[in-house]
Amino acid sequence: MKATSPTSRFPARLPKQIQRVLPIYVALILVVVFFWTAESVSSFRLAVVWDRVRAYQTSSVVTTTFTRKIWQTWKIDPLEFEERDLSRARSWPSKNPGYRYEVLTDGNDLHYVETNFGPAGLNRPDIVYFYKSLTAKIIKADLLRYLILYNEGGVYADIDVEALKPVDEWIPPHFDKADLDLVISVEIDEPTYANHSILGPKSQSFCQWTIMSKPRNPAILGIINNVINWLTEVARAQNVHVAEIQLNFDDVLSGTGPSAFTTAMLSEMKRQTGMKHIPWSTFHNLTEPTLVGRILVLTVHAFASGQGHSNSGTHDDPRALVKHHYHASKWPDRHPRYSHPGYGMVEECNWKPECVQAWDNNTAVYPTLSEEEKEKVLAAKKKVDADRYNKEQEERANHEREDRERIDRETREKCEKLDPPFEMPKPEQHHDEEYHDDQNRNNGEQKPEEHEEHKEEQKPDEEHHDDQNRNNGEQKPEEHEEHKEEQKPEEHKQEHQQQDGWILLQDTPNGENKVHKEVEPPHIAPIDPKPET
C-alpha cells in the first residue's frame, strides 16, 4: 500500500508547494506561541527576541581608535562630591587634559540608557526594561559601565579609583592601538585555590573597576547579553519579578561582577583566536602585558596594585596605573556571603595560605566541639571583630592623612616647576584671632560679651578702640556702643587713611587736638578683612 503524507488527503484544497512547507509553518507558529507566552520573555514580545539575535550577528568594533573620554558613575552630581571623592575624581581630568570627562549619576543614568538603547538608539528594549526594573544597586552599577563602554567606548573607572598615570601611557609603545579593542588587567591571580569550595570561583579573575574599550566591542556586548540572560533565569528560578530577586555575594560576583566579566573575556578570546580553551596559566604571574586576540591584558600591578595578594606589589611600582581606594565598595554589606559563626569569612584571610588553611581546619572541627568550647570560640571572635574594627578605623584615618600629604606634596612640586616658581602660601591666621590675641596681650582676657561683639561685626573704628584701651584702660560697654554708632564731630582726632580703606583715629601725643578733614572711605570694609602682610 502506498504511503501518503498528512497533507496528501487534501489535493484539491492546497497546492503542492504549500503542502510541502505546511509542517514548517506549523512549527514556526508553535515557536512564536511559546515565546509569546513564556514567562521569561512575557514583557518583551517576539520582536525583542529578534532584536537580540540581530545584535549578536551585527556586533563589531566600528572604529580603529579608542574614544578619548573618561567615564565614572556615582550617586550624586560631581558638584556635590565630598572632598574624598572630589580629589580622586579630579585626578582623571588633571592627568588627562586631552580627554573628555563625564559622570553619570542616579539622576540621569536612566535617561542615558533610554536614549541610547531605546527605539531611537540601538533598539534594545530588553536592556531598557531590565535596567528600569532592577533595584539591586550593584547590579545596575555593573550593567551601566558595560552599557557605557559598548555604546561610546573610552575609559571607565569606579568613583574610588584614582589615576596615577595618564591614559596615553597605559598601552606600551610596541603595541599598535589599531590591533587592540580592549585593555584590561589581572585582579586576582591565586590559582592555588581554584578547587576551594568558597574561594575557587574567585581565585582567577580580571579587574572590572577600570576598563578601557573601543565602542561596539563584541566582548562588552557579550557580557551585556550574559547579564540579561542571567537576570531572566534568576527571576524565573525565584518565581518573582526581576525587581524582587534576592542575590547573595557570590551571585553578584558570578552574575555581573569580576567572575562574570572574566568569563565573558575568556569566551571572547576563544572566539577571536579559535582556541578551544584559554588556560589561566596564560596570565599567571604575568610580568609583561600580553595580547590575546584583540584584548590586551595588563599585569596585576596596572589596575590592582597594593591588594596584599596575587603578587600585586605596591602603588609605588612603576607599572601601577591607578589606585583603588575601596571606600565605595560597600555593596557586600547588602548581599550576604557565608560567614562561619565562630571563624567568620574565609575572604578575610586575603588569600594568605596559613590563614586559609587554619580557617578550613577550624570550621571542619567546630561541629565536634562541646557547647562550652563553642561559647569560648564565639567570645574570642567577638573580641577579634572589635579589634579589627578599631584597626580599620585607624588605617582609614592614616590613609586619608597620607593622601592629603601626597596631594599637597605633588601640588607644591608643580608650583616649584612654574616659571617663575610659585610659593604655596601658608595658612592665614584669622583676623579676629590676631585682634583678640593683641587685646589679650595688652589688657588681659577680654570679657565674653565684648568678644561676641567683635565676632558679630568688625567696625572701621575697632583699631581706635584698640589704641584707646592701650592708653586709657578698658572702655566701658556703653562708650563702646557710642563709638560703634557714630563718631561724634566734637571729638577731635587725627585721621589716617590706610590702604585697605580703614580709618585709624588716635589722639595726638601732646593731647592737643588738630583740625582734620574727614575722608570718605573708598569702600566698605569687609566683615572679615584679611590682615596686612
Short mmCIF file of all heavy atoms in Angstrom, two decimals, residues 29 35 54 64 143 153 167 216-217 254 259 292 378 442 531:
data_model
loop_
_atom_site.label_atom_id
_atom_site.label_comp_id
_atom_site.label_asym_id
_atom_site.label_seq_id
_atom_site.Cartn_x
_atom_site.Cartn_y
_atom_site.Cartn_z
N ILE A 29 4.75 28.60 13.99
CA ILE A 29 3.65 29.17 14.79
C ILE A 29 3.76 28.70 16.23
O ILE A 29 3.57 29.48 17.18
CB ILE A 29 2.29 28.76 14.19
CG1 ILE A 29 2.10 29.47 12.83
CG2 ILE A 29 1.15 29.12 15.14
CD1 ILE A 29 0.88 29.00 12.06
N PHE A 35 7.26 31.52 22.74
CA PHE A 35 7.96 32.72 23.20
C PHE A 35 7.00 33.81 23.66
O PHE A 35 7.30 34.60 24.54
CB PHE A 35 8.88 33.26 22.09
CG PHE A 35 10.18 32.52 21.98
CD1 PHE A 35 10.44 31.69 20.90
CD2 PHE A 35 11.13 32.64 22.97
CE1 PHE A 35 11.64 31.01 20.81
CE2 PHE A 35 12.34 31.96 22.89
CZ PHE A 35 12.59 31.14 21.81
N ARG A 54 19.72 39.78 16.22
CA ARG A 54 20.35 40.69 15.26
C ARG A 54 21.55 41.39 15.88
O ARG A 54 22.57 41.62 15.24
CB ARG A 54 19.33 41.72 14.77
CG ARG A 54 19.89 42.62 13.68
CD ARG A 54 18.81 43.51 13.07
NE ARG A 54 18.27 44.44 14.03
CZ ARG A 54 17.06 44.35 14.56
NH1 ARG A 54 16.27 43.35 14.23
NH2 ARG A 54 16.63 45.25 15.43
N THR A 64 38.74 52.37 14.74
CA THR A 64 40.07 51.83 14.98
C THR A 64 40.77 52.54 16.12
O THR A 64 41.92 52.22 16.43
CB THR A 64 40.93 51.96 13.70
OG1 THR A 64 41.01 53.34 13.32
CG2 THR A 64 40.33 51.15 12.56
N LEU A 143 26.07 46.81 35.32
CA LEU A 143 25.48 46.83 33.99
C LEU A 143 25.70 48.17 33.30
O LEU A 143 26.00 48.22 32.10
CB LEU A 143 23.99 46.51 34.08
CG LEU A 143 23.21 46.48 32.75
CD1 LEU A 143 23.83 45.49 31.78
CD2 LEU A 143 21.74 46.14 33.00
N GLY A 153 32.40 53.72 24.29
CA GLY A 153 33.80 53.40 24.47
C GLY A 153 34.50 54.40 25.37
O GLY A 153 33.90 55.31 25.93
N VAL A 167 46.30 58.17 30.69
CA VAL A 167 45.77 57.04 29.92
C VAL A 167 46.64 56.76 28.70
O VAL A 167 46.79 55.60 28.29
CB VAL A 167 44.31 57.33 29.50
CG1 VAL A 167 43.80 56.25 28.55
CG2 VAL A 167 43.41 57.43 30.73
N ARG A 216 31.22 49.63 20.53
CA ARG A 216 30.64 48.49 19.80
C ARG A 216 31.52 47.26 19.89
O ARG A 216 31.65 46.48 18.94
CB ARG A 216 30.38 48.85 18.33
CG ARG A 216 29.49 50.04 18.10
CD ARG A 216 28.07 49.80 18.61
NE ARG A 216 27.18 50.82 18.14
CZ ARG A 216 26.98 52.00 18.72
NH1 ARG A 216 27.65 52.29 19.82
NH2 ARG A 216 26.14 52.88 18.22
N ASN A 217 32.12 47.07 21.05
CA ASN A 217 33.03 45.95 21.24
C ASN A 217 32.23 44.67 21.48
O ASN A 217 31.42 44.61 22.41
CB ASN A 217 33.93 46.23 22.45
CG ASN A 217 35.11 45.29 22.54
OD1 ASN A 217 35.02 44.12 22.22
ND2 ASN A 217 36.23 45.82 22.98
N SER A 254 29.32 36.34 40.27
CA SER A 254 29.17 35.46 39.11
C SER A 254 28.17 35.99 38.09
O SER A 254 28.20 35.57 36.93
CB SER A 254 28.74 34.07 39.57
OG SER A 254 27.48 34.12 40.23
N SER A 259 33.82 37.81 38.28
CA SER A 259 33.74 36.44 37.73
C SER A 259 32.99 36.44 36.41
O SER A 259 33.42 35.78 35.44
CB SER A 259 33.05 35.51 38.73
OG SER A 259 33.80 35.42 39.94
N VAL A 292 45.93 38.77 23.64
CA VAL A 292 45.22 37.56 23.27
C VAL A 292 44.07 37.97 22.36
O VAL A 292 43.12 38.62 22.80
CB VAL A 292 44.68 36.81 24.50
CG1 VAL A 292 44.00 35.51 24.09
CG2 VAL A 292 45.80 36.54 25.49
N LEU A 378 33.12 31.67 70.17
CA LEU A 378 32.28 32.81 69.81
C LEU A 378 32.72 34.08 70.53
O LEU A 378 32.73 35.17 69.96
CB LEU A 378 30.82 32.49 70.13
CG LEU A 378 30.19 31.33 69.34
CD1 LEU A 378 28.76 31.09 69.81
CD2 LEU A 378 30.22 31.61 67.85
N ASN A 442 47.66 92.98 75.76
CA ASN A 442 47.73 94.31 76.34
C ASN A 442 46.83 94.50 77.54
O ASN A 442 47.17 95.21 78.48
CB ASN A 442 47.37 95.35 75.27
CG ASN A 442 48.45 95.50 74.22
OD1 ASN A 442 49.43 96.22 74.41
ND2 ASN A 442 48.31 94.80 73.10
N PRO A 531 44.36 90.22 57.21
CA PRO A 531 45.39 91.03 57.83
C PRO A 531 46.44 91.47 56.81
O PRO A 531 46.67 90.79 55.81
CB PRO A 531 46.00 90.08 58.87
CG PRO A 531 45.74 88.73 58.32
CD PRO A 531 44.42 88.83 57.61
#
